[in-house]
Amino acid sequence: MTSASPIRLLLPALFAAAVLSGCGKTTAKEPEQAEAAPVEVIRLKKGGVSSELKLPGELIAFQNVDLYAKVNSFVRKLHADVGSQVREGTLLATLEAPEVTSQLAGAESRLKSQEAVFLSSKATYERLLETSKTPGTVSPNDLDIAFAKQQSDAALLESARATHREIADNRNYLEIRAPFSGVITARNVSTGAYVGPSGKGSEFPLFSLVEQQKLRLVVSLPEAYTGYTNPDAAIRFSVRALPGKFFEAKMSRQSGALDARLRAQRIEMDVPNQAKTLLPGMVAEVSVPLSTKDSSLNVPVGAVLNAPLGLFVIKVTDGKAVWVPVTMGRNDGVNVEVIGNISEGDLVVRHANEEIRDMSTLKNVKEAEK
């Protein structure tokens, strides 16, 4: 077996040395450091932020009344039923109370008797007064007595008239009439039923009457939003019974105080309902427009950094990023109201993120329109 040639043994060693020598030298230039990405900033301006608050509401009748009998009586005839459309003054039921008729007849008799007594005493006084013009015919005392008798009978006559009017008014209560135009929503009696004032003759009302052509939309506005309502703004609402259809109304009344239980203010909107499309008692989804004052500062939603330590905007001061704690107000999905140690004209980062560290230096700052 022949031994390896010295040349063949030397070649691998020389090749390895050449490779190691090449690795220790740099033959190409290193690429230059990439330029820092621009940081877009905006200048703070004052301006209001508008948004909508969705709340449940209730449609109630503009007028709603339960009708009871004024006097104890029996139902003689019913002239309306559930669903009847009635106008103001329409006769709804006729009641019957025989004792009221008897009382009225007695009052009329006493009234006529007292009228006769008064006319007699009046005639007596007038005759004595005429006779007294002749000196010595009638004593002054007799004339005074006649005058006093006339005045007394006049007072008794007025009392008899008042009693007669009272009983006549009670008889008028035997006719139940509609106090306003609307629809009968409940009828709780039948012909022949004994009725009377609530708790005496009947527990439930004879009729329930509601006005349909005009409704109230009632909403309880939470305390936190009471300062952001605009009385002139149009309020939109919808009901489940009419999907895809929206209605508008304007704020008509505010309670001016907070409910002790809900800590909310009651607001009402008048809703015309001539077509009777909406029904009292419907639940509505109401969109209440909210607006802030023009003196507030607002930024794009992306300019607010939601960090573990809280909410911040990144203000640029002397080329450095400063994290400023803020609180948010109204939010319309695009802009948000911010409150903190910032003022109009300050520059803040438009797209805040945690990669921009607090007090770090910003080299490539670009101001953009808000």
Side-chain angles (χ1 to χ4, degrees), residues 241-255:
L242 301 169
K245 190 170 184 178
F246 294 90
F247 304 86
E248 284 193 358
K250 282 195 175 182
M251 192 180 303
S252 304
R253 288 166 292 278
Q254 301 183 55
S255 65

Side-chain angles (χ1 to χ4, degrees), residues 122-351:
K122 181 182 178 183
T124 300
Y125 170 71
E126 290 176 349
R127 284 195 298 269
L128 289 175
L129 179 62
E130 187 65 27
T131 304
S132 65
K133 294 179 180 180
T134 303
T137 55
V138 178
S139 69
N141 184 56
D142 291 340
L143 188 61
D144 291 341
I145 292 175
F147 178 74
K149 181 68 168 60
Q150 175 191 309
Q151 295 298 103
S152 175
D153 291 341
L156 292 174
L157 175 59
E158 190 58 36
S159 175
R161 285 173 177 167
T163 302
H164 181 268
R165 283 195 300 268
E166 178 183 0
I167 298 175
D169 290 340
N170 284 338
R171 188 183 62 174
N172 293 335
Y173 291 137
L174 297 178
E175 292 183 346
I176 306 299
R177 297 183 178 272
F180 53 82
S181 300
V183 60
I184 301 296
T185 59
R187 190 213 76 186
N188 299 305
V189 297
S190 298
T191 303
Y194 176 72
V195 296
S198 177
K200 294 182 179 180
S202 56
E203 181 181 357
F204 300 103
L206 278 67
F207 298 98
S208 292
L209 176 66
V210 302
E211 182 179 354
Q212 261 187 316
Q213 295 186 350
K214 189 177 182 181
L215 304 178
R216 300 175 190 258
L217 176 60
V218 180
V219 176
S220 294
L221 186 68
E223 177 184 1
Y225 300 96
T226 53
Y228 297 95
T229 56
N230 182 1
D232 298 325
I235 295 176
R236 301 179 71 214
F237 68 94
S238 60
V239 294
R240 290 185 178 181
L242 301 169
K245 190 170 184 178
F246 294 90
F247 304 86
E248 284 193 358
K250 282 195 175 182
M251 192 180 303
S252 304
R253 288 166 292 278
Q254 301 183 55
S255 65
L258 299 182
D259 183 270
R261 295 180 298 105
L262 302 176
R263 308 305 303 173
Q265 180 178 224
R266 177 188 175 105
I267 60 175
E268 291 186 357
M269 286 71 71
D270 292 344
V271 181
N273 190 37
Q274 299 294 333
K276 302 174 185 176
T277 306
L278 301 170
L279 300 178
M282 282 184 169
V283 176
E285 183 179 350
V286 186
S287 297
V288 181
L290 302 176
S291 61
T292 59
K293 298 179 180 179
D294 291 338
S295 59
S296 61
L297 294 172
N298 64 82
V299 296
V301 174
V304 179
L305 175 61
N306 189 359
L309 297 179
L311 299 175
F312 299 87
V313 294
I314 303 177
K315 183 169 70 171
V316 179
T317 305
D318 298 330
K320 290 188 176 183
V322 181
W323 286 25
V324 180
V326 294
T327 56
M328 292 197 305
R330 304 281 72 75
N331 186 340
D332 63 3
V334 178
N335 296 319
V336 59
E337 178 187 4
V338 288
I339 303 169
N341 188 21
I342 51 178
S343 57
E344 187 177 15
D346 289 345
L347 293 174
V348 297
V349 176
R350 184 167 192 170
H351 302 288

